[in-house]
Coordinates of all heavy atoms in Angstrom, one line a residue:
A516 N -14.2 20.3 -3.0 CA -15.2 19.3 -2.9 C -16.6 20.0 -3.1 O -17.4 19.4 -3.8 CB -15.2 18.7 -1.5
D517 N -16.8 21.1 -2.5 CA -18.1 21.8 -2.7 C -18.3 22.1 -4.2 O -19.4 21.9 -4.7 CB -18.0 23.1 -1.9 CG -19.3 24.0 -2.0 OD1 -20.3 23.5 -1.5 OD2 -19.2 25.1 -2.6
R518 N -17.3 22.6 -4.9 CA -17.5 23.0 -6.3 C -17.7 21.7 -7.1 O -18.5 21.7 -8.1 CB -16.2 23.7 -6.8 CG -16.1 25.1 -6.2 CD -17.3 26.0 -6.7 NE -17.4 26.1 -8.1 CZ -18.5 25.9 -8.8 NH1 -19.7 25.8 -8.2 NH2 -18.5 26.0 -10.1
L519 N -17.0 20.6 -6.8 CA -17.2 19.4 -7.6 C -18.6 18.9 -7.5 O -19.2 18.4 -8.5 CB -16.2 18.3 -7.2 CG -14.8 18.5 -7.7 CD1 -13.8 17.5 -7.0 CD2 -14.7 18.4 -9.2
V520 N -19.2 18.9 -6.3 CA -20.6 18.5 -6.1 C -21.5 19.4 -7.0 O -22.4 18.9 -7.7 CB -21.0 18.5 -4.6 CG1 -22.5 18.2 -4.5 CG2 -20.2 17.4 -3.9
D521 N -21.2 20.7 -6.9 CA -22.1 21.6 -7.7 C -22.0 21.3 -9.2 O -23.0 21.4 -9.9 CB -21.7 23.1 -7.4 CG -22.1 23.5 -6.0 OD1 -23.0 22.8 -5.4 OD2 -21.6 24.5 -5.5
I522 N -20.8 21.0 -9.6 CA -20.6 20.8 -11.1 C -21.3 19.5 -11.5 O -22.0 19.5 -12.5 CB -19.0 20.7 -11.4 CG1 -18.4 22.0 -11.3 CG2 -18.8 20.0 -12.8 CD1 -16.9 22.0 -11.3
V523 N -21.2 18.5 -10.7 CA -21.9 17.2 -11.0 C -23.4 17.4 -11.0 O -24.1 16.9 -11.9 CB -21.5 16.1 -10.0 CG1 -22.3 14.9 -10.1 CG2 -20.0 15.7 -10.2
V524 N -23.9 18.1 -10.0 CA -25.3 18.4 -9.9 C -25.8 19.2 -11.1 O -26.9 19.0 -11.7 CB -25.7 19.0 -8.6 CG1 -27.2 19.5 -8.6 CG2 -25.5 18.1 -7.4
S525 N -25.0 20.2 -11.5 CA -25.4 21.0 -12.7 C -25.4 20.2 -14.0 O -26.0 20.7 -15.0 CB -24.4 22.2 -12.8 OG -23.2 21.8 -13.3
A526 N -24.7 19.1 -14.0 CA -24.7 18.2 -15.2 C -25.9 17.3 -15.3 O -25.9 16.5 -16.3 CB -23.4 17.5 -15.3
L527 N -26.8 17.3 -14.4 CA -28.0 16.5 -14.5 C -28.7 16.8 -15.7 O -28.8 18.0 -16.1 CB -28.8 16.6 -13.2 CG -28.3 16.0 -11.9 CD1 -29.2 16.5 -10.8 CD2 -28.3 14.5 -12.0
P528 N -29.4 15.9 -16.3 CA -30.2 16.2 -17.5 C -31.3 17.2 -17.1 O -31.8 17.2 -16.0 CB -30.8 14.9 -17.9 CG -30.0 13.8 -17.2 CD -29.4 14.4 -16.0
Q529 N -31.6 18.0 -18.1 CA -32.7 19.0 -17.9 C -33.9 18.4 -17.4 O -34.4 17.4 -18.0 CB -32.9 19.8 -19.2 CG -33.8 21.0 -19.0 CD -33.8 21.9 -20.2 OE1 -33.3 21.5 -21.3 NE2 -34.4 23.0 -20.1
G530 N -34.5 19.0 -16.4 CA -35.7 18.5 -15.8 C -35.5 17.5 -14.7 O -36.4 17.1 -13.9
K531 N -34.3 16.9 -14.5 CA -34.0 16.0 -13.5 C -33.5 16.8 -12.3 O -32.7 17.7 -12.4 CB -32.9 15.0 -13.9 CG -33.3 14.1 -15.0 CD -34.2 13.0 -14.5 CE -34.5 12.1 -15.7 NZ -35.3 11.0 -15.3
T532 N -34.0 16.4 -11.1 CA -33.5 17.1 -9.9 C -33.3 16.0 -8.8 O -33.8 14.9 -8.9 CB -34.5 18.1 -9.3 OG1 -35.8 17.4 -9.1 CG2 -34.8 19.2 -10.3
L533 N -32.6 16.4 -7.8 CA -32.3 15.5 -6.6 C -33.4 15.9 -5.6 O -33.8 17.1 -5.5 CB -30.9 15.7 -6.1 CG -29.8 15.3 -7.1 CD1 -28.5 15.6 -6.5 CD2 -29.9 13.8 -7.3
P534 N -33.7 15.0 -4.7 CA -34.6 15.3 -3.6 C -34.1 16.5 -2.8 O -32.9 16.6 -2.6 CB -34.7 14.0 -2.8 CG -34.2 12.9 -3.7 CD -33.3 13.6 -4.7
A535 N -35.0 17.2 -2.2 CA -34.7 18.4 -1.4 C -33.7 18.0 -0.3 O -34.0 16.9 0.4 CB -35.9 19.0 -0.8
G536 N -32.7 18.7 -0.1 CA -31.7 18.4 1.0 C -30.7 17.4 0.7 O -29.7 17.3 1.4
S537 N -30.8 16.7 -0.4 CA -29.8 15.7 -0.7 C -28.4 16.2 -1.1 O -27.4 15.6 -0.7 CB -30.3 14.7 -1.8 OG -30.5 15.4 -3.0
V538 N -28.4 17.4 -1.8 CA -27.1 18.0 -2.1 C -26.4 18.4 -0.9 O -25.2 18.1 -0.7 CB -27.3 19.1 -3.1 CG1 -25.9 19.8 -3.3 CG2 -27.8 18.7 -4.4

Side-chain angles (χ1 to χ4, degrees):
D517 180 66
R518 289 297 303 134
L519 284 173
V520 170
D521 289 343
I522 290 167
V523 170
V524 170
S525 74
L527 288 172
Q529 190 170 6
K531 297 283 185 177
T532 60
L533 296 174
S537 63
V538 173

